[in-house]
Amino acid sequence: MSELQQMDHLFDCLFPICRSITGDGVRQTVEILSEIIPLQMYGIATGTRVFDWEIPKEWKIRSARLTNPQGEIVVDFKNSNLHVVNYSTSVDKYLTLEELQSNLYSLPHLPQAIPYVISYYKERWGFCLPHEKREQLTEGIYHAVIDSEHIDGELNYADLVLPGESKEEVLISTYICHPSMANNELSGPLVATFLYQRLKKWKNRRYTYRFVFVPETIGSISYLYQNGDHLKEHVAAGLVLTCLGGPSPLNYKRSRSGKNPLDRIIEQLIEKGKIDGKIRAFTPANGSDERQYCSPGFNLPVGQMARTVYGQYDGYHNSLDNKEFMTIEALQKSVDEIEDLLRAFEADGYYVNQYPYGEVKLDKHGLYPDMNGPGTGGKSSNDIIDHRTQLTRILTILNYADGEHSLLEISEKCNTHILNLVPVVELLQEKGILSGPYCRKEMV
């Protein structure tokens, strides 16, 4: 199967699963992903303190159904797991329509959509349904049955580490807790999965890559509780992946400092037109797990990558967030663009010219033409322009490859994006003229 076909198949396997912050849905999701990438799953027991939070009881749900006075099924959990308030307590009651209304949830502005409603930390029960169906309910006695329970269990998450030459890490984090929504759930895990497959094929990896799959918020807090010291010491950059399957261009949310290398690189790639995208400022007021990684006690250099951003499309947190809205092609484009970003991050650093005294005699190394002058050698004007551009980039790189200027800074002096300098750098390295890249502390 092609990569696109694999993505499509994996989406169809994962979409029907009823996920939450704990429970069988999370474990089943990890097990399916583990058939493609070597994830290691962990568990933290109910009641465990993780900073200011506590691991809640595990939620199990078997069935749920609401029946009208005529004995007809109004909503059934087996038709959509959005029909039940996520983490709902069990119930078996007969109620009037008036009594039932406080336990019904719908969206008047989106009358055909089933809303996604959660109540993780306060006990309640409820059903979610399209508003147009809610308005058709008639007076009488309704039978509400939810077969669920909260047990002492565990919260699960998974990770894997793809080793590189350096112990410095790039953190790739995504969440696996939303049920049956496409853009605002499955896009992140799918992009992370196939991004891993791409990076695994790289011949050389400068950085080590850590992939993390967690339930949102409580999961990343738990991961930090158990791995925070290691991450503080080793993470050089990171991305939280979410909402990457919609029709919009990439949309990057800066890290808390807004000044780490990944922030600057993505800004340049967008500014120079290599990637079609937008930049958002960091804010703790809304977002995803970057808020946990960027909390003051950790302040990791982690940004967030989205496409069609949460809260900015009609299908956000409802049944309209489906495969028709989130295309598999958009997922593959997200993988392509994030891979480009990480290639640029790998290339950035500090290089050293091995012949720093005067200009390098380029023709000696096969890097300068035998003849010079416009129109020589029967070359077209485009060939001459390309040669002059290449020569300019070679001379600029060698002049500023002094261990004090990063490749990103040098690319600005060349008025291009960093990826355009990568082939030149590789050529100079092959010729033995350039060494690196180094991080700044290696230069001290």
Side-chain angles (χ1 to χ4, degrees):
M1 285 193 294
S2 67
E3 183 182 71
L4 204 64
Q5 291 171 323
Q6 291 178 56
M7 284 186 184
D8 190 54
H9 175 71
L10 187 56
F11 177 93
D12 290 342
C13 291
L14 293 172
F15 189 77
I17 297 172
C18 181
R19 283 173 289 272
S20 188
I21 56 173
T22 65
D24 293 334
V26 171
R27 290 188 285 270
Q28 187 180 356
T29 298
V30 171
E31 288 168 4
I32 291 172
L33 291 173
S34 296
E35 296 173 5
I36 301 175
I37 59 176
L39 288 172
Q40 177 70 45
M41 184 162 62
Y42 305 87
I44 305 179
T46 296
T48 303
R49 293 282 298 183
V50 286
F51 301 122
D52 197 36
W53 294 63
E54 183 177 303
I55 303 300
K57 286 183 178 293
E58 186 176 315
W59 184 53
K60 290 185 175 292
I61 181 165
R62 287 171 283 273
S63 63
R65 179 181 291 180
L66 178 66
T67 307
N68 69 14
Q70 291 75 41
E72 301 165 335
I73 298 171
V74 178
V75 294
D76 195 330
F77 174 72
K78 71 180 182 181
N79 295 329
S80 172
N81 51 51
L82 296 181
H83 273 315
V84 175
V85 171
N86 202 281
Y87 247 67
S88 183
T89 58
S90 62
V91 66
D92 187 346
K93 285 185 178 182
Y94 290 89
L95 307 98
T96 66
L97 179 59
E98 182 179 359
E99 292 170 329
L100 178 64
Q101 289 289 6
S102 63
N103 297 97
L104 298 182
Y105 301 88
S106 63
L107 300 170
H109 68 293
L110 295 171
Q112 296 181 327
I114 306 169
Y116 168 52
V117 180
I118 60 176
S119 185
Y120 298 144
Y121 302 106
K122 183 176 181 179
E123 290 192 359
R124 55 165 53 88
W125 65 270
F127 292 94
C128 305
L129 70 167
H131 193 70
E132 61 183 13
K133 180 176 282 192
R134 183 177 184 176
E135 289 189 313
Q136 295 169 4
L137 299 179
T138 58
E139 296 294 335
I141 302 300
Y142 289 76
H143 188 195
V145 178
I146 298 175
D147 182 9
S148 66
E149 61 180 328
H150 295 84
I151 64 170
D152 287 335
E154 61 183 20
L155 177 144
N156 299 105
Y157 64 79
D159 70 1
L160 66 86
V161 175
L162 187 60
E165 296 173 1
S166 169
K167 291 183 179 180
E168 285 193 284
E169 295 183 357
V170 176
L171 173 68
I172 305 293
S173 181
T174 190
Y175 53 87
I176 47 172
C177 55
H178 287 42
S180 297
M181 284 175 289
N183 184 52
N184 187 209
E185 170 70 2
L186 285 183
S187 68
L190 287 170
V191 168
T193 297
F194 287 91
L195 185 62
Y196 169 85
Q197 295 280 54
R198 297 273 191 93
L199 302 189
K200 185 180 178 183
K201 294 176 183 177
W202 286 5
K203 291 183 180 180
N204 299 296
R205 284 183 300 274
R206 180 180 168 199
Y207 290 97
T208 292
Y209 289 83
R210 177 178 295 268
F211 288 79
V212 175
F213 294 74
V214 292
E216 195 173 20
T217 305
I218 183 66
S220 55
I221 289 171
S222 299
Y223 195 83
L224 285 164
Y225 183 78
Q226 295 195 319
N227 301 280
D229 289 341
H230 175 89
L231 298 182
K232 284 176 71 173
E233 183 177 354
H234 294 287
V235 169
L239 290 171
V240 171
L241 304 184
T242 179
C243 296
L244 282 162
S248 307
L250 280 188
N251 197 307
Y252 177 72
K253 179 181 179 182
R254 292 186 183 94
S255 66
R256 184 170 179 259
S257 74
K259 298 177 182 178
N260 76 66
L262 205 61
D263 290 328
R264 298 196 297 271
I265 289 171
I266 185 63
E267 287 170 7
Q268 187 200 69
L269 294 179
I270 290 173
E271 178 188 341
K272 302 293 185 183
K274 174 62 177 175
I275 290 177
D276 182 17
K278 299 178 180 179
I279 304 290
R280 287 171 287 149
F282 174 81
T283 173
N286 58 67
S288 185
D289 287 327
E290 73 282 350
R291 297 182 298 173
Q292 315 312 325
Y293 297 122
C294 294
S295 57
F298 294 102
N299 196 24
L300 299 177
V302 174
Q304 179 216 94
M305 192 66 83
R307 186 172 288 282
T308 301
V309 179
Y310 42 84
Q312 297 182 16
Y313 62 102
D314 286 345
Y316 175 64
H317 274 195
N318 65 67
S319 59
L320 299 183
D321 189 350
N322 53 32
K323 196 177 184 179
E324 287 67 40
F325 174 76
M326 185 220 76
T327 65
I328 303 300
E329 290 77 10
L331 290 184
Q332 190 173 56
K333 187 176 182 182
S334 294
V335 175
D336 292 341
E337 292 173 328
I338 295 171
E339 184 182 19
D340 278 344
L341 171 61
L342 294 178
R343 284 191 187 279
F345 185 71
E346 286 265 329
D348 192 30
Y350 298 85
Y351 293 79
V352 176
N353 182 348
Q354 300 300 293
Y355 301 91
Y357 301 103
E359 288 186 5
V360 175
K361 195 171 190 302
L362 296 180
D363 63 321
K364 175 182 173 182
H365 301 277
L367 296 173
Y368 205 85
D370 296 283
M371 297 180 66
N372 194 11
T376 59
K379 293 184 178 181
S380 70
S381 59
N382 286 336
D383 289 333
I384 295 169
I385 291 170
D386 288 344
H387 168 71
R388 287 176 177 171
T389 299
Q390 179 86 337
L391 182 59
T392 297
R393 290 173 180 174
I394 288 173
L395 292 171
T396 304
I397 289 170
L398 291 177
N399 189 271
Y400 288 100
D402 55 2
E404 297 295 329
H405 296 82
S406 70
L407 189 62
L408 184 67
E409 292 169 329
I410 297 171
S411 68
E412 290 294 332
K413 294 180 182 297
C414 292
N415 195 30
T416 190
H417 61 74
I418 187 173
L419 286 170
N420 277 339
L421 297 192
V422 171
V424 185
V425 166
E426 290 175 346
L427 179 60
L428 293 171
Q429 288 175 319
E430 288 173 9
K431 300 288 186 179
I433 301 171
L434 200 66
S435 66
Y438 308 99
C439 63
R440 187 177 288 276
K441 63 185 177 183
E442 291 173 321
M443 302 302 302
V444 176

mmCIF file of all heavy atoms in Angstrom, residues 220-252:
data_model
loop_
_atom_site.group_PDB
_atom_site.id
_atom_site.type_symbol
_atom_site.label_atom_id
_atom_site.label_comp_id
_atom_site.label_asym_id
_atom_site.label_seq_id
_atom_site.Cartn_x
_atom_site.Cartn_y
_atom_site.Cartn_z
ATOM 1 N N SER A 220 -0.289 14.682 29.440
ATOM 2 C CA SER A 220 1.002 15.370 29.317
ATOM 3 C C SER A 220 1.523 15.794 30.688
ATOM 4 O O SER A 220 2.739 15.771 30.931
ATOM 5 C CB SER A 220 0.879 16.581 28.392
ATOM 6 O OG SER A 220 -0.137 17.455 28.811
ATOM 7 N N ILE A 221 0.632 16.159 31.589
ATOM 8 C CA ILE A 221 1.048 16.467 32.960
ATOM 9 C C ILE A 221 1.652 15.226 33.620
ATOM 10 O O ILE A 221 2.691 15.296 34.289
ATOM 11 C CB ILE A 221 -0.142 17.016 33.779
ATOM 12 C CG1 ILE A 221 -0.493 18.433 33.304
ATOM 13 C CG2 ILE A 221 0.163 17.008 35.274
ATOM 14 C CD1 ILE A 221 -1.762 18.988 33.892
ATOM 15 N N SER A 222 1.023 14.086 33.405
ATOM 16 C CA SER A 222 1.543 12.829 33.946
ATOM 17 C C SER A 222 2.890 12.487 33.328
ATOM 18 O O SER A 222 3.810 12.019 34.020
ATOM 19 C CB SER A 222 0.552 11.695 33.690
ATOM 20 O OG SER A 222 -0.685 11.961 34.335
ATOM 21 N N TYR A 223 3.017 12.715 32.025
ATOM 22 C CA TYR A 223 4.284 12.422 31.353
ATOM 23 C C TYR A 223 5.397 13.315 31.893
ATOM 24 O O TYR A 223 6.521 12.847 32.127
ATOM 25 C CB TYR A 223 4.127 12.617 29.840
ATOM 26 C CG TYR A 223 5.269 12.001 29.052
ATOM 27 C CD1 TYR A 223 5.254 10.647 28.731
ATOM 28 C CD2 TYR A 223 6.364 12.757 28.659
ATOM 29 C CE1 TYR A 223 6.299 10.064 28.036
ATOM 30 C CE2 TYR A 223 7.411 12.178 27.965
ATOM 31 C CZ TYR A 223 7.382 10.835 27.656
ATOM 32 O OH TYR A 223 8.431 10.266 26.974
ATOM 33 N N LEU A 224 5.076 14.571 32.105
ATOM 34 C CA LEU A 224 6.063 15.485 32.681
ATOM 35 C C LEU A 224 6.414 15.092 34.115
ATOM 36 O O LEU A 224 7.566 15.223 34.541
ATOM 37 C CB LEU A 224 5.531 16.919 32.643
ATOM 38 C CG LEU A 224 5.547 17.585 31.265
ATOM 39 C CD1 LEU A 224 4.653 18.821 31.259
ATOM 40 C CD2 LEU A 224 6.973 17.958 30.869
ATOM 41 N N TYR A 225 5.433 14.625 34.851
ATOM 42 C CA TYR A 225 5.678 14.210 36.234
ATOM 43 C C TYR A 225 6.718 13.089 36.268
ATOM 44 O O TYR A 225 7.588 13.052 37.148
ATOM 45 C CB TYR A 225 4.369 13.743 36.862
ATOM 46 C CG TYR A 225 4.486 13.356 38.321
ATOM 47 C CD1 TYR A 225 4.542 14.333 39.315
ATOM 48 C CD2 TYR A 225 4.545 12.012 38.703
ATOM 49 C CE1 TYR A 225 4.654 13.985 40.651
ATOM 50 C CE2 TYR A 225 4.654 11.660 40.035
ATOM 51 C CZ TYR A 225 4.716 12.648 41.008
ATOM 52 O OH TYR A 225 4.828 12.286 42.330
ATOM 53 N N GLN A 226 6.635 12.187 35.291
ATOM 54 C CA GLN A 226 7.538 11.043 35.291
ATOM 55 C C GLN A 226 8.819 11.280 34.480
ATOM 56 O O GLN A 226 9.816 10.587 34.705
ATOM 57 C CB GLN A 226 6.803 9.808 34.754
ATOM 58 C CG GLN A 226 5.655 9.366 35.664
ATOM 59 C CD GLN A 226 5.170 7.963 35.355
ATOM 60 O OE1 GLN A 226 5.050 7.587 34.195
ATOM 61 N NE2 GLN A 226 4.865 7.198 36.381
ATOM 62 N N ASN A 227 8.793 12.207 33.548
ATOM 63 C CA ASN A 227 9.941 12.381 32.646
ATOM 64 C C ASN A 227 10.444 13.820 32.558
ATOM 65 O O ASN A 227 11.327 14.120 31.747
ATOM 66 C CB ASN A 227 9.555 11.921 31.231
ATOM 67 C CG ASN A 227 9.126 10.472 31.181
ATOM 68 O OD1 ASN A 227 9.944 9.568 31.157
ATOM 69 N ND2 ASN A 227 7.819 10.252 31.168
ATOM 70 N N GLY A 228 9.889 14.704 33.381
ATOM 71 C CA GLY A 228 10.177 16.131 33.254
ATOM 72 C C GLY A 228 11.645 16.493 33.414
ATOM 73 O O GLY A 228 12.167 17.339 32.676
ATOM 74 N N ASP A 229 12.333 15.889 34.350
ATOM 75 C CA ASP A 229 13.750 16.212 34.559
ATOM 76 C C ASP A 229 14.570 15.855 33.325
ATOM 77 O O ASP A 229 15.456 16.608 32.907
ATOM 78 C CB ASP A 229 14.291 15.478 35.785
ATOM 79 C CG ASP A 229 13.727 16.036 37.088
ATOM 80 O OD1 ASP A 229 13.226 17.178 37.071
ATOM 81 O OD2 ASP A 229 13.794 15.321 38.107
ATOM 82 N N HIS A 230 14.268 14.699 32.749
ATOM 83 C CA HIS A 230 14.981 14.292 31.536
ATOM 84 C C HIS A 230 14.693 15.268 30.386
ATOM 85 O O HIS A 230 15.620 15.680 29.675
ATOM 86 C CB HIS A 230 14.558 12.880 31.127
ATOM 87 C CG HIS A 230 15.149 12.424 29.820
ATOM 88 N ND1 HIS A 230 16.362 11.789 29.729
ATOM 89 C CD2 HIS A 230 14.688 12.561 28.540
ATOM 90 C CE1 HIS A 230 16.632 11.536 28.465
ATOM 91 N NE2 HIS A 230 15.637 11.996 27.717
ATOM 92 N N LEU A 231 13.437 15.652 30.236
ATOM 93 C CA LEU A 231 13.076 16.559 29.145
ATOM 94 C C LEU A 231 13.735 17.923 29.324
ATOM 95 O O LEU A 231 14.205 18.523 28.345
ATOM 96 C CB LEU A 231 11.556 16.710 29.066
ATOM 97 C CG LEU A 231 10.754 15.431 28.755
ATOM 98 C CD1 LEU A 231 9.265 15.745 28.671
ATOM 99 C CD2 LEU A 231 11.224 14.769 27.480
ATOM 100 N N LYS A 232 13.782 18.421 30.552
ATOM 101 C CA LYS A 232 14.418 19.723 30.798
ATOM 102 C C LYS A 232 15.888 19.696 30.400
ATOM 103 O O LYS A 232 16.433 20.694 29.921
ATOM 104 C CB LYS A 232 14.278 20.114 32.274
ATOM 105 C CG LYS A 232 12.891 20.596 32.646
ATOM 106 C CD LYS A 232 12.773 20.870 34.130
ATOM 107 C CE LYS A 232 13.542 22.093 34.546
ATOM 108 N NZ LYS A 232 13.301 22.447 35.962
ATOM 109 N N GLU A 233 16.532 18.576 30.577
ATOM 110 C CA GLU A 233 17.955 18.477 30.277
ATOM 111 C C GLU A 233 18.223 18.274 28.787
ATOM 112 O O GLU A 233 19.238 18.758 28.264
ATOM 113 C CB GLU A 233 18.567 17.315 31.062
ATOM 114 C CG GLU A 233 20.072 17.173 30.863
ATOM 115 C CD GLU A 233 20.681 16.066 31.711
ATOM 116 O OE1 GLU A 233 19.947 15.479 32.548
ATOM 117 O OE2 GLU A 233 21.886 15.789 31.541
ATOM 118 N N HIS A 234 17.311 17.588 28.086
ATOM 119 C CA HIS A 234 17.643 17.122 26.740
ATOM 120 C C HIS A 234 16.828 17.724 25.604
ATOM 121 O O HIS A 234 17.281 17.657 24.452
ATOM 122 C CB HIS A 234 17.515 15.600 26.683
ATOM 123 C CG HIS A 234 18.510 14.871 27.532
ATOM 124 N ND1 HIS A 234 19.848 14.774 27.192
ATOM 125 C CD2 HIS A 234 18.364 14.218 28.712
ATOM 126 C CE1 HIS A 234 20.483 14.079 28.121
ATOM 127 N NE2 HIS A 234 19.612 13.735 29.057
ATOM 128 N N VAL A 235 15.649 18.265 25.855
ATOM 129 C CA VAL A 235 14.809 18.717 24.737
ATOM 130 C C VAL A 235 15.351 20.014 24.142
ATOM 131 O O VAL A 235 15.454 21.039 24.821
ATOM 132 C CB VAL A 235 13.339 18.891 25.173
ATOM 133 C CG1 VAL A 235 12.539 19.606 24.083
ATOM 134 C CG2 VAL A 235 12.712 17.531 25.454
ATOM 135 N N ALA A 236 15.705 19.952 22.867
ATOM 136 C CA ALA A 236 16.197 21.131 22.146
ATOM 137 C C ALA A 236 15.076 21.854 21.431
ATOM 138 O O ALA A 236 15.173 23.050 21.150
ATOM 139 C CB ALA A 236 17.261 20.708 21.132
ATOM 140 N N ALA A 237 14.001 21.133 21.121
ATOM 141 C CA ALA A 237 12.843 21.716 20.438
ATOM 142 C C ALA A 237 11.712 20.708 20.503
ATOM 143 O O ALA A 237 11.923 19.526 20.786
ATOM 144 C CB ALA A 237 13.174 22.052 18.986
ATOM 145 N N GLY A 238 10.506 21.189 20.237
ATOM 146 C CA GLY A 238 9.384 20.266 20.268
ATOM 147 C C GLY A 238 8.162 20.820 19.576
ATOM 148 O O GLY A 238 8.034 22.031 19.370
ATOM 149 N N LEU A 239 7.263 19.896 19.217
ATOM 150 C CA LEU A 239 6.007 20.247 18.569
ATOM 151 C C LEU A 239 4.881 19.440 19.187
ATOM 152 O O LEU A 239 5.019 18.227 19.401
ATOM 153 C CB LEU A 239 6.049 19.941 17.074
ATOM 154 C CG LEU A 239 6.946 20.791 16.173
ATOM 155 C CD1 LEU A 239 6.998 20.161 14.783
ATOM 156 C CD2 LEU A 239 6.431 22.220 16.105
ATOM 157 N N VAL A 240 3.769 20.098 19.472
ATOM 158 C CA VAL A 240 2.518 19.413 19.774
ATOM 159 C C VAL A 240 1.717 19.400 18.478
ATOM 160 O O VAL A 240 1.504 20.442 17.859
ATOM 161 C CB VAL A 240 1.739 20.122 20.901
ATOM 162 C CG1 VAL A 240 0.341 19.538 21.046
ATOM 163 C CG2 VAL A 240 2.503 20.005 22.214
ATOM 164 N N LEU A 241 1.290 18.221 18.048
ATOM 165 C CA LEU A 241 0.585 18.068 16.783
ATOM 166 C C LEU A 241 -0.910 17.906 17.038
ATOM 167 O O LEU A 241 -1.335 17.015 17.771
ATOM 168 C CB LEU A 241 1.104 16.838 16.028
ATOM 169 C CG LEU A 241 2.612 16.789 15.749
ATOM 170 C CD1 LEU A 241 2.944 15.563 14.914
ATOM 171 C CD2 LEU A 241 3.095 18.064 15.063
ATOM 172 N N THR A 242 -1.713 18.770 16.418
ATOM 173 C CA THR A 242 -3.158 18.710 16.581
ATOM 174 C C THR A 242 -3.836 19.370 15.393
ATOM 175 O O THR A 242 -3.267 20.276 14.775
ATOM 176 C CB THR A 242 -3.596 19.402 17.893
ATOM 177 O OG1 THR A 242 -5.019 19.347 18.008
ATOM 178 C CG2 THR A 242 -3.156 20.861 17.936
ATOM 179 N N CYS A 243 -5.030 18.931 15.066
ATOM 180 C CA CYS A 243 -5.865 19.579 14.034
ATOM 181 C C CYS A 243 -5.101 19.796 12.731
ATOM 182 O O CYS A 243 -5.080 20.897 12.181
ATOM 183 C CB CYS A 243 -6.410 20.903 14.564
ATOM 184 S SG CYS A 243 -7.530 20.732 15.967
ATOM 185 N N LEU A 244 -4.493 18.738 12.215
ATOM 186 C CA LEU A 244 -3.616 18.855 11.048
ATOM 187 C C LEU A 244 -4.233 18.320 9.762
ATOM 188 O O LEU A 244 -3.527 18.132 8.771
ATOM 189 C CB LEU A 244 -2.302 18.115 11.325
ATOM 190 C CG LEU A 244 -1.322 18.867 12.224
ATOM 191 C CD1 LEU A 244 -0.273 17.932 12.794
ATOM 192 C CD2 LEU A 244 -0.664 20.014 11.462
ATOM 193 N N GLY A 245 -5.551 18.096 9.750
ATOM 194 C CA GLY A 245 -6.152 17.487 8.579
ATOM 195 C C GLY A 245 -7.123 18.341 7.808
ATOM 196 O O GLY A 245 -7.700 17.885 6.825
ATOM 197 N N GLY A 246 -7.351 19.575 8.221
ATOM 198 C CA GLY A 246 -8.329 20.424 7.557
ATOM 199 C C GLY A 246 -7.786 21.102 6.318
ATOM 200 O O GLY A 246 -6.628 20.909 5.923
ATOM 201 N N PRO A 247 -8.597 21.963 5.691
ATOM 202 C CA PRO A 247 -8.231 22.569 4.416
ATOM 203 C C PRO A 247 -7.323 23.792 4.513
ATOM 204 O O PRO A 247 -6.863 24.289 3.492
ATOM 205 C CB PRO A 247 -9.591 22.966 3.832
ATOM 206 C CG PRO A 247 -10.459 23.214 5.028
ATOM 207 C CD PRO A 247 -10.011 22.233 6.062
ATOM 208 N N SER A 248 -7.051 24.292 5.696
ATOM 209 C CA SER A 248 -6.276 25.524 5.852
ATOM 210 C C SER A 248 -4.777 25.260 5.745
ATOM 211 O O SER A 248 -4.324 24.121 5.866
ATOM 212 C CB SER A 248 -6.576 26.163 7.214
ATOM 213 O OG SER A 248 -7.966 26.339 7.387
ATOM 214 N N PRO A 249 -3.976 26.327 5.546
ATOM 215 C CA PRO A 249 -2.515 26.178 5.584
ATOM 216 C C PRO A 249 -2.047 25.845 6.996
ATOM 217 O O PRO A 249 -2.816 25.943 7.963
ATOM 218 C CB PRO A 249 -2.007 27.568 5.158
ATOM 219 C CG PRO A 249 -3.166 28.267 4.550
ATOM 220 C CD PRO A 249 -4.389 27.698 5.200
ATOM 221 N N LEU A 250 -0.782 25.458 7.119
ATOM 222 C CA LEU A 250 -0.219 25.218 8.452
ATOM 223 C C LEU A 250 -0.359 26.457 9.325
ATOM 224 O O LEU A 250 -0.310 27.585 8.837
ATOM 225 C CB LEU A 250 1.256 24.839 8.361
ATOM 226 C CG LEU A 250 1.618 23.404 8.002
ATOM 227 C CD1 LEU A 250 3.116 23.194 8.165
ATOM 228 C CD2 LEU A 250 0.856 22.380 8.825
ATOM 229 N N ASN A 251 -0.517 26.220 10.613
ATOM 230 C CA ASN A 251 -0.696 27.309 11.566
ATOM 231 C C ASN A 251 0.129 26.980 12.802
ATOM 232 O O ASN A 251 -0.196 26.052 13.543
ATOM 233 C CB ASN A 251 -2.178 27.455 11.918
ATOM 234 C CG ASN A 251 -2.496 28.783 12.555
ATOM 235 O OD1 ASN A 251 -1.862 29.167 13.525
ATOM 236 N ND2 ASN A 251 -3.477 29.488 12.016
ATOM 237 N N TYR A 252 1.211 27.736 13.013
ATOM 238 C CA TYR A 252 2.169 27.428 14.084
ATOM 239 C C TYR A 252 1.987 28.373 15.258
ATOM 240 O O TYR A 252 1.942 29.590 15.101
ATOM 241 C CB TYR A 252 3.601 27.546 13.549
ATOM 242 C CG TYR A 252 4.662 27.307 14.609
ATOM 243 C CD1 TYR A 252 4.889 26.036 15.109
ATOM 244 C CD2 TYR A 252 5.416 28.364 15.115
ATOM 245 C CE1 TYR A 252 5.856 25.810 16.079
ATOM 246 C CE2 TYR A 252 6.392 28.143 16.084
ATOM 247 C CZ TYR A 252 6.598 26.867 16.566
ATOM 248 O OH TYR A 252 7.545 26.644 17.529
#
